[in-house]
Amino acid sequence: MSFLSEAFWVLLLGSLLGLELIGKVPPTLHTPLMSGANAISGITMLAALTLIIKAGTNLPLLVLGAVSLGFALFNVVGGFLVTDRMLAMFSRKSSRK
Amino acid sequence: MSFLSEAFWVLLLGSLLGLELIGKVPPTLHTPLMSGANAISGITMLAALTLIIKAGTNLPLLVLGAVSLGFALFNVVGGFLVTDRMLAMFSRKSSRK
Amino acid sequence: MTFSEILKFSIDLLAVFLLALGIKGLSKVRSARDANRLAAIAMSLAVVGVLLDSLGSSGISFNAWIWIIAGSLVGTLLGAVVARRVAMTAMPETVALFNGCGGMSSLLVALAVAIFPLSNSNGELSSVLVERISIVISVFVGSITFTGSMVAMAKLQGWLPTPAWMQSKVRHFINIALGVVSLISISSLVSGDERGLLLLIVGSALLGIGVTLPIGGADMPVVISLLNSYSGVAAAAAGFVVGSQLLIVAGAMVGAAGLILTQVMCNGMNRSLISVLFGGALGSITAEGLSGSAEYINITSCSVEECALTLEAAERVVIVPGYGLAVAQAQHTLREVTRALEANGVEVSYAIHPVAGRMPGHMNVLLAEADVPYDQLKEMDIVNPEFPATDVVLVLGANDVVNPQAKNDPSSPLYGMPVLDVQEARTVFVVKRGMSAGYSGIKNDLFDLANTSMVFGDAKKVLGDLLVELKELGISGKN
Amino acid sequence: MTFSEILKFSIDLLAVFLLALGIKGLSKVRSARDANRLAAIAMSLAVVGVLLDSLGSSGISFNAWIWIIAGSLVGTLLGAVVARRVAMTAMPETVALFNGCGGMSSLLVALAVAIFPLSNSNGELSSVLVERISIVISVFVGSITFTGSMVAMAKLQGWLPTPAWMQSKVRHFINIALGVVSLISISSLVSGDERGLLLLIVGSALLGIGVTLPIGGADMPVVISLLNSYSGVAAAAAGFVVGSQLLIVAGAMVGAAGLILTQVMCNGMNRSLISVLFGGALGSITAEGLSGSAEYINITSCSVEECALTLEAAERVVIVPGYGLAVAQAQHTLREVTRALEANGVEVSYAIHPVAGRMPGHMNVLLAEADVPYDQLKEMDIVNPEFPATDVVLVLGANDVVNPQAKNDPSSPLYGMPVLDVQEARTVFVVKRGMSAGYSGIKNDLFDLANTSMVFGDAKKVLGDLLVELKELGISGKN
Ligand SMILES: NC(=O)c1ccc[n+]([C@@H]2O[C@H](COP(=O)([O-])OP(=O)(O)OC[C@H]3O[C@@H](n4cnc5c(N)ncnc54)[C@H](OP(=O)(O)O)[C@@H]3O)[C@@H](O)[C@H]2O)c1
Ligand SMILES: NC(=O)c1ccc[n+]([C@@H]2O[C@H](COP(=O)([O-])OP(=O)(O)OC[C@H]3O[C@@H](n4cnc5c(N)ncnc54)[C@H](OP(=O)(O)O)[C@@H]3O)[C@@H](O)[C@H]2O)c1
């Protein structure tokens, strides 16, 4: 019960918070925001990590976990880097030229 | 640990949510919003209620709980009613007259 | 997990969800009233949840029911009576009263648990520590909220003058000393020594008084909003004390939302929170402003009769109500005057500045009370472009909100605050008792302008005279 | 509560706090870049938290380290390479690719737990049920996200044409059938029968394909944003599966924020989510628009030479880039042309419509790539009042965003979308290949106006020719 009750509380509050966090977003930021949020959704890497750690000597589980971790990190690392690249383009370049 | 961890999660998320919930408030609504939020802060009545229920035959505790409950309900009931009265005044009266 | 547990849990989640919706809705004009009801429903739900949970587990003794009912009845009845009876214009002090009682409630709960520990904690050091800390926070914040709110109420009601020494710098030392005393008792309490409890209560209660007392009446709405935020914190702490998630979330939400609201209110009044809390009453500055009234060089004063003649000849009249109208309780007389003018074919509207008066929405409440139709109330942004096409503006006990300095003079303390551009109209009449300054205590350049005439006198009296004059001119709303 | 538990817990709280700040900051231009870094730091923190926690309790075996490092290395390297290499204009498909992999990760975790149950649950029915449900949700949403994102990517890359039958109504039946299959396997899984697992994976994977395939390429950003929201949901479900609060909060936040972003994007493009999801590709409508091109009655076509002469004589020129410029990859040639004009003393600026092109911010990215100074990019609200004082507007492969119907014709599907008022300028040149319509598939009244001349041809080619003509007129940016 305890984990569950906690889980539902954070689920409810997290969702409400997510709904409120972004209000007006200027169109220029739609793509970067999408890709940044996408990188964050790669947080499943924690689940993959936990899985590997708890797998003990169960080889299939280890493999599944590692593959899952790879996918998740691909998402996270790629997502953050590509977002940064985009945002670098938007940042005021009046200093250049 | 479990209650505490849960408690801190909801504390963090609740605070963040509270910070986000109200963005721009038109000045006309400052007073009603203040008084409505104030009514909600009377939620301590739940604590008072719990106290009385758990008090058993401990008379001082019962009295403290009941007084506390009274104060809290004064806050809650009065707060909601007075907010409603205010908001009734602001609501479009073009139908009248 | 029993059925009653699941039920209680779902009710709690639902209640929090509704409370969040309620707070959000309260910040939008269209949804505000429903949102308030929603929040009330959520609170009732939460109570039902607690009762069901207890019934489902250990049950509720007959004895407990008696006390519950007694407490609720008294609280509910008093609350309902006060909420019905109180005058609309006394809202800030009413909110302060309610808020103080909420703080008191948290204080009492924490006190009770401190004296008669619940068998909640499992004895582990970390949870014992957290429990002690939450009791202390609840007591500390609760009593500050209580005394602070009571002082705020008393000052707004005019029951409590500000003692002179409280406006001097001495108060800072006294408050710091009280803060130190509270801190000492807090640390002794946290380390397990219960003797500090009384000291903490007294210290924080005095601190609440010491901080609130020097603050000027006009800044009070901000202070009350801040104290309201505190009472949310106190509720969250009480949640830790009795072990209720719902209380923690709701308290945290209200606390955080209250903080934002406080900030928004400060911005609206063009004041900073720091200057509200530590700047003291504006009284002294007002005195300066009074002496500064000698600076006026081109004041035109005129009689009520003249004013009536001009009004009668006008096609479009805009009324600018302000704090003075509220003080004079002249809204009903004003309504009679405008009825008369309307009957004569004059187009009348009211320019509502967002911070006219002494509480947010003050003018809306005031005019709604006098039955002014909602569609004649015009907000600043709407009415400002209309002034050039206005024949007569009647400024009634307003001052800062029509001060052109806010636009023209970057050195003015008002600079940057949006104001009503009444000077654009053909003729401006300003009704006030003398040349004293408004809330901000500064000179009003409007009064010096060529198209402005002063009509000196109490707003209610002037409006009464105006009614008589208009009647003599053959104009009256009664037929 | 051990020290390492407290540490892990504080790290989790901090990580969530930073993630929330990050998401919030990403929605404001000034803070976006820092916010992105903040979110990255928060994620690293979370990883550190998990590792510390495991080290502090049962430890991490050598074996586990190997697999962890192997998985991370591969994922990180590939991610970094793709993120560096990919073209700026291919952003939507890149995000889709990443997103799909995130979904795949959730799917795999849930699958692993389904096959080799963790000894997490205490065997109580309610928690067993919740665990099964979360596994099912994670699998279902994860595989929809994966296949949907892959299809979105392939379509955006042009690797995947839309099969004709997929645009007919048949697809609705197929998708409903797939949905029913998934539902059946879900209910069998929840009731404890594990044979449904494979069926669920296949069913939901096909469903993801079936829903995404018919959607037109231009609507894809919205779909990707929606799938992104799903992958948040999948992460939250995975959090239930492995019992991690942090995962649940972060997943829920991203899921909810993604939903809002999807809505905001739809509004920006003047489309409803329903019509994006179920309306199918806009291809058919575009075809109609093509036939509608016969309706143009007053088209003036002109040569590149004429255009060059007018540009040379102008003082203020505004460039309006659109989707066609991106397709033609003509941004660098454009930059050369504007350099030449600037060298000749012409004042050049760029009017950036928020949804010009095929992804939000498309034009900013495109022009930034070609080294256009940031201060020459003007947003719609800023540039619109300037058109009446503009000599020449050069519309390059833009269509809908300069369609005056959006302002004048309430019956137009574009009506209400804010557009660039180029027709206010003295002369307008429109560079496009033919008379075909833009994304919305409707006629553009601008082309019929007297001050508009069409310059037909591929944007890159026309701009190249223009450069030559300008050089012949003695104008070049090279000196
Ligand atoms: N709305 C809010 O929430 C709020 C809260 C706190 C502070 N404030 C501040 O309060 C100010 C509001 O501006 P305001 O223009 O409404 O008021 P104001 O600037 O305070 O001026 C009120 C004027 O009314 C006159 N007056 C007082 N009693 C009167 C009576 N019986 N009959 C006729 N006139 C009378 C006073 O002049 P005489 O003494 O010469 O008659 C004074 O000049 C702003 O500075 C605002 O920032 C507002
Ligand atoms: N920005 C976003 O996030 C986003 C996302 C999805 C949808 N949209 C939608 O996309 C539209 C954007 O408007 P827009 O004005 O940029 O584009 P548009 O209305 O789609 O028009 C593009 C024009 O470019 C021309 N073109 C195509 N290839 C060309 C080439 N190689 N050289 C020269 N011209 C070429 C086409 O005409 P020809 O074929 O005759 O050359 C077409 O008329 C809006 O309706 C918007 O709602 C935007």
Side-chain angles (χ1 to χ4, degrees):
Chain A
M1 162 70 190
S2 153
F3 166 71
L4 274 189
S5 94
E6 194 173 339
F8 280 113
W9 272 118
V10 300
L11 183 68
L12 173 72
L13 293 173
S15 311
L16 288 177
L17 189 57
L19 288 178
E20 296 298 328
L21 272 180
I22 54 174
K24 267 191 264 166
V25 199
T28 348
L29 284 183
H30 287 178
T31 308
L33 176 54
M34 180 164 87
S35 111
N38 169 39
I40 297 178
S41 74
I43 189 95
T44 19
M45 64 174 172
L46 299 187
L49 208 57
T50 314
L51 212 63
I52 302 182
I53 293 174
K54 286 196 183 168
T57 55
N58 185 335
L59 193 66
L61 200 52
L62 282 171
V63 174
L64 266 180
V67 174
S68 171
L69 185 63
F71 271 111
L73 266 166
F74 179 68
N75 181 359
V76 173
V77 174
F80 280 127
L81 284 181
V82 103
T83 310
D84 191 64
R85 242 184 93 193
M86 267 187 271
L87 291 172
M89 301 227 122
F90 292 146
S91 64
R92 323 217 149 235
K93 297 204 180 169
S94 30
S95 48
R96 263 169 74 177
K97 199 220 148 153
Chain B
M1 161 70 189
S2 155
F3 165 71
L4 274 189
S5 95
E6 195 173 337
F8 280 112
W9 272 119
V10 300
L11 183 67
L12 173 73
L13 293 173
S15 311
L16 288 177
L17 189 56
L19 289 178
E20 296 297 328
L21 272 180
I22 54 173
K24 268 191 265 165
V25 197
T28 348
L29 284 183
H30 287 176
T31 308
L33 175 55
M34 179 164 88
S35 113
N38 168 40
I40 297 178
S41 74
I43 190 94
T44 18
M45 65 176 171
L46 299 186
L49 208 57
T50 314
L51 212 64
I52 302 183
I53 293 174
K54 287 196 182 167
T57 54
N58 185 335
L59 193 66
L61 201 51
L62 281 171
V63 175
L64 266 179
V67 174
S68 172
L69 185 63
F71 271 111
L73 265 166
F74 178 68
N75 181 0
V76 173
V77 174
F80 280 127
L81 284 181
V82 103
T83 310
D84 191 65
R85 242 185 92 193
M86 267 188 271
L87 291 171
M89 300 228 123
F90 292 146
S91 65
R92 324 217 149 235
K93 296 205 181 167
S94 30
S95 48
R96 265 167 74 177
K97 196 220 153 156
Chain C
M1 199 151 104
T2 66
F3 174 72
S4 94
E5 269 175 335
I6 297 184
L7 189 67
K8 161 75 162 52
F9 187 63
S10 323
I11 289 182
D12 279 8
L13 285 185
L14 184 63
V16 165
F17 179 68
L18 294 182
L19 282 180
L21 277 190
I23 297 179
K24 191 176 169 62
L26 269 170
S27 68
K28 294 194 184 57
V29 176
R30 215 180 306 162
S31 55
R33 206 170 173 196
D34 289 336
N36 185 50
R37 291 194 184 132
L38 204 64
I41 292 174
M43 299 280 277
S44 328
L45 254 184
V47 172
V48 171
V50 170
L51 292 180
L52 279 185
D53 184 42
S54 309
L55 285 176
S57 53
S58 52
I60 302 176
S61 71
F62 179 72
N63 213 4
W65 273 120
I66 301 273
W67 286 101
I68 290 175
I69 291 172
S72 322
L73 266 189
V74 175
T76 307
L77 278 183
L78 285 181
V81 169
V82 170
R84 294 264 134 140
R85 287 279 173 86
V86 80
M88 262 300 146
T89 40
M91 275 311 144
E93 45 263 52
T94 313
V95 176
L97 175 64
F98 288 143
N99 191 46
C101 293
M104 181 52 123
S105 171
S106 302
L107 167 65
L108 290 179
V109 169
L111 211 60
V113 176
I115 306 177
F116 311 101
L118 291 178
S119 48
N120 238 357
S121 81
N122 50 11
E124 239 189 80
L125 183 65
S126 58
S127 19
V128 170
L129 218 60
V130 170
E131 196 188 307
R132 280 194 203 138
I133 293 178
S134 17
I135 290 182
V136 165
I137 292 181
S138 202
V139 168
F140 181 64
V141 181
S143 56
I144 286 192
T145 308
F146 177 68
T147 56
S149 302
M150 289 305 146
V151 170
M153 184 195 70
K155 288 201 68 165
L156 280 171
Q157 284 282 26
W159 293 341
L160 205 71
T162 311
W165 60 268
M166 254 307 188
Q167 294 207 30
S168 68
K169 291 255 148 70
V170 187
R171 70 192 153 98
H172 291 309
F173 292 102
I174 297 179
N175 288 339
I176 290 175
L178 287 172
V180 170
V181 168
S182 309
L183 268 185
I184 292 175
S185 49
I186 284 177
S187 58
S188 86
L189 276 168
V190 169
S191 64
D193 180 350
E194 294 204 353
R195 284 170 305 172
L197 196 58
L198 196 68
L199 192 63
L200 177 61
I201 297 180
V202 175
S204 46
L206 287 178
L207 189 58
I209 298 178
V211 170
T212 322
L213 200 54
I215 296 174
D219 280 335
M220 272 308 164
V222 176
V223 177
I224 295 172
S225 170
L226 188 66
L227 289 171
N228 183 21
S229 163
Y230 287 176
S231 73
V233 174
F240 272 91
V241 173
V242 300
S244 157
Q245 252 49 267
L246 175 55
L247 226 63
I248 300 176
V249 188
M253 270 191 327
V254 172
L259 217 56
I260 298 286
L261 177 61
T262 309
Q263 196 54 55
V264 171
M265 284 171 77
C266 277
N267 293 346
M269 290 167 44
N270 219 21
R271 293 270 273 158
S272 84
L273 188 54
I274 300 290
S275 69
V276 166
L277 286 184
F278 302 110
L282 282 173
S284 46
I285 312 180
T286 314
E288 261 175 53
L290 274 169
S291 66
S293 65
E295 289 170 38
Y296 290 105
I297 42 174
N298 182 23
I299 297 295
T300 326
S301 161
C302 89
S303 69
V304 176
E305 193 185 346
E306 240 174 290
C307 178
L309 279 168
T310 319
L311 281 172
E312 190 249 338
E315 279 182 22
R316 296 198 53 212
V317 171
V318 173
I319 313 278
V320 177
Y323 174 63
L325 186 79
V327 175
Q329 294 278 0
Q331 65 270 32
H332 297 284
T333 323
L334 169 64
R335 183 70 187 118
E336 281 180 57
V337 172
T338 56
R339 277 225 175 85
L341 289 174
E342 279 169 3
N344 195 38
V346 180
E347 191 192 327
V348 180
S349 56
Y350 303 76
I352 307 295
H353 189 281
V355 298
R358 283 298 178 272
M359 78 186 198
H362 205 161
M363 291 305 129
N364 300 59
V365 167
L366 207 71
L367 297 179
E369 221 192 348
D371 255 339
V372 171
Y374 191 88
D375 48 1
Q376 290 183 10
L377 307 186
K378 295 195 176 162
E379 279 176 35
M380 184 167 53
D381 300 336
I382 313 244
V383 78
N384 261 345
E386 295 179 0
F387 280 119
T390 300
D391 301 313
V392 180
V393 169
L394 193 59
V395 177
L396 291 162
N399 192 337
D400 295 342
V401 299
V402 293
N403 194 336
Q405 267 190 27
K407 277 224 169 95
N408 308 331
D409 181 358
S411 71
S412 164
L414 278 185
Y415 189 67
M417 171 166 127
V419 287
L420 295 163
D421 304 326
V422 292
Q423 70 277 6
E424 307 280 329
R426 198 123 61 83
T427 315
V428 180
F429 290 109
V430 177
V431 177
K432 64 201 296 281
R433 296 165 309 174
M435 288 309 295
S436 61
Y439 168 65
S440 69
I442 60 171
K443 182 183 171 229
N444 193 332
D445 293 345
L446 174 75
F447 304 164
D448 262 348
L449 295 180
N451 57 342
T452 304
S453 307
M454 313 295 292
V455 183
F456 289 115
D458 175 84
K460 189 163 190 172
K461 172 135 196 329
V462 171
L463 285 168
D465 293 351
L466 206 55
L467 207 59
V468 175
E469 293 290 341
L470 286 174
K471 213 168 266 167
E472 276 179 17
L473 290 169
I475 300 175
S476 116
K478 291 287 149 60
N479 50 345
Chain D
M1 199 153 106
T2 66
F3 174 71
S4 94
E5 270 176 333
I6 296 185
L7 189 66
K8 162 77 164 48
F9 186 64
S10 322
I11 290 181
D12 280 7
L13 285 185
L14 184 63
V16 164
F17 178 68
L18 294 181
L19 282 180
L21 278 190
I23 297 179
K24 191 176 171 62
L26 269 170
S27 68
K28 294 193 184 59
V29 176
R30 215 179 306 162
S31 55
R33 206 168 174 200
D34 289 335
N36 185 49
R37 293 195 181 132
L38 205 64
I41 292 174
M43 300 280 276
S44 327
L45 252 184
V47 172
V48 172
V50 170
L51 293 180
L52 279 185
D53 185 41
S54 309
L55 285 176
S57 55
S58 51
I60 303 177
S61 72
F62 180 71
N63 213 5
W65 275 119
I66 301 274
W67 286 102
I68 290 176
I69 291 172
S72 324
L73 265 188
V74 175
T76 306
L77 278 182
L78 284 181
V81 168
V82 170
R84 294 262 136 142
R85 287 277 174 87
V86 80
M88 261 301 145
T89 41
M91 275 311 142
E93 45 265 52
T94 312
V95 176
L97 174 65
F98 288 142
N99 191 47
C101 292
M104 181 49 122
S105 171
S106 303
L107 167 64
L108 290 179
V109 168
L111 210 60
V113 175
I115 306 177
F116 311 100
L118 292 178
S119 48
N120 238 357
S121 82
N122 50 11
E124 239 188 82
L125 183 66
S126 57
S127 21
V128 170
L129 218 61
V130 169
E131 196 186 307
R132 280 196 203 135
I133 293 178
S134 17
I135 290 181
V136 164
I137 292 182
S138 201
V139 168
F140 181 64
V141 180
S143 58
I144 287 191
T145 307
F146 178 68
T147 56
S149 301
M150 290 304 145
V151 169
M153 184 194 69
K155 289 202 68 166
L156 280 172
Q157 283 283 26
W159 294 340
L160 205 72
T162 312
W165 60 267
M166 253 307 188
Q167 293 207 31
S168 68
K169 291 259 148 69
V170 186
R171 69 190 153 97
H172 292 308
F173 292 102
I174 298 181
N175 287 339
I176 290 174
L178 286 172
V180 171
V181 168
S182 308
L183 267 186
I184 292 175
S185 49
I186 283 176
S187 58
S188 85
L189 276 169
V190 169
S191 65
D193 180 351
E194 292 203 355
R195 285 170 305 171
L197 196 58
L198 196 67
L199 192 62
L200 177 60
I201 296 178
V202 175
S204 45
L206 287 178
L207 188 58
I209 298 177
V211 170
T212 321
L213 200 54
I215 296 175
D219 279 335
M220 272 308 163
V222 177
V223 177
I224 296 173
S225 169
L226 188 65
L227 289 171
N228 184 19
S229 162
Y230 287 175
S231 73
V233 174
F240 272 91
V241 173
V242 300
S244 157
Q245 252 50 265
L246 175 56
L247 226 63
I248 300 177
V249 187
M253 272 191 327
V254 171
L259 217 56
I260 297 288
L261 178 60
T262 311
Q263 196 54 54
V264 170
M265 283 172 78
C266 277
N267 293 347
M269 289 167 44
N270 221 20
R271 293 270 273 158
S272 84
L273 189 54
I274 300 290
S275 69
V276 166
L277 286 183
F278 303 110
L282 281 174
S284 46
I285 311 180
T286 313
E288 262 175 51
L290 273 170
S291 66
S293 67
E295 290 172 37
Y296 290 104
I297 42 174
N298 182 25
I299 297 294
T300 326
S301 162
C302 89
S303 68
V304 175
E305 194 186 345
E306 240 174 290
C307 177
L309 280 168
T310 320
L311 281 173
E312 190 248 339
E315 280 182 20
R316 294 200 53 213
V317 171
V318 174
I319 313 280
V320 177
Y323 174 62
L325 185 79
V327 175
Q329 295 278 359
Q331 65 271 33
H332 296 285
T333 325
L334 169 64
R335 183 67 186 121
E336 281 178 56
V337 171
T338 55
R339 277 226 175 85
L341 289 175
E342 280 170 2
N344 196 37
V346 179
E347 190 192 325
V348 180
S349 56
Y350 302 76
I352 308 294
H353 189 281
V355 297
R358 283 300 178 270
M359 78 185 198
H362 206 160
M363 291 305 130
N364 299 60
V365 167
L366 208 70
L367 297 179
E369 221 192 349
D371 255 339
V372 172
Y374 191 88
D375 48 0
Q376 290 184 9
L377 308 186
K378 295 196 177 162
E379 280 175 35
M380 184 165 54
D381 300 336
I382 312 246
V383 80
N384 261 347
E386 296 179 359
F387 280 119
T390 301
D391 301 312
V392 180
V393 170
L394 193 59
V395 177
L396 290 161
N399 193 337
D400 295 342
V401 299
V402 293
N403 195 336
Q405 267 189 29
K407 278 227 168 93
N408 309 329
D409 182 358
S411 72
S412 162
L414 279 185
Y415 188 69
M417 171 166 125
V419 287
L420 294 163
D421 304 326
V422 292
Q423 70 278 6
E424 307 280 330
R426 198 123 61 83
T427 315
V428 179
F429 290 109
V430 178
V431 178
K432 65 201 295 280
R433 295 163 311 175
M435 288 308 296
S436 61
Y439 168 65
S440 69
I442 60 172
K443 178 179 173 235
N444 192 335
D445 292 346
L446 173 74
F447 305 163
D448 262 350
L449 295 180
N451 58 341
T452 303
S453 307
M454 313 295 293
V455 184
F456 289 113
D458 174 84
K460 190 164 190 170
K461 169 131 198 335
V462 171
L463 284 168
D465 294 349
L466 205 56
L467 207 59
V468 175
E469 294 288 343
L470 286 173
K471 215 168 263 167
E472 278 179 16
L473 290 169
I475 300 177
S476 118
K478 292 284 148 62
N479 53 346

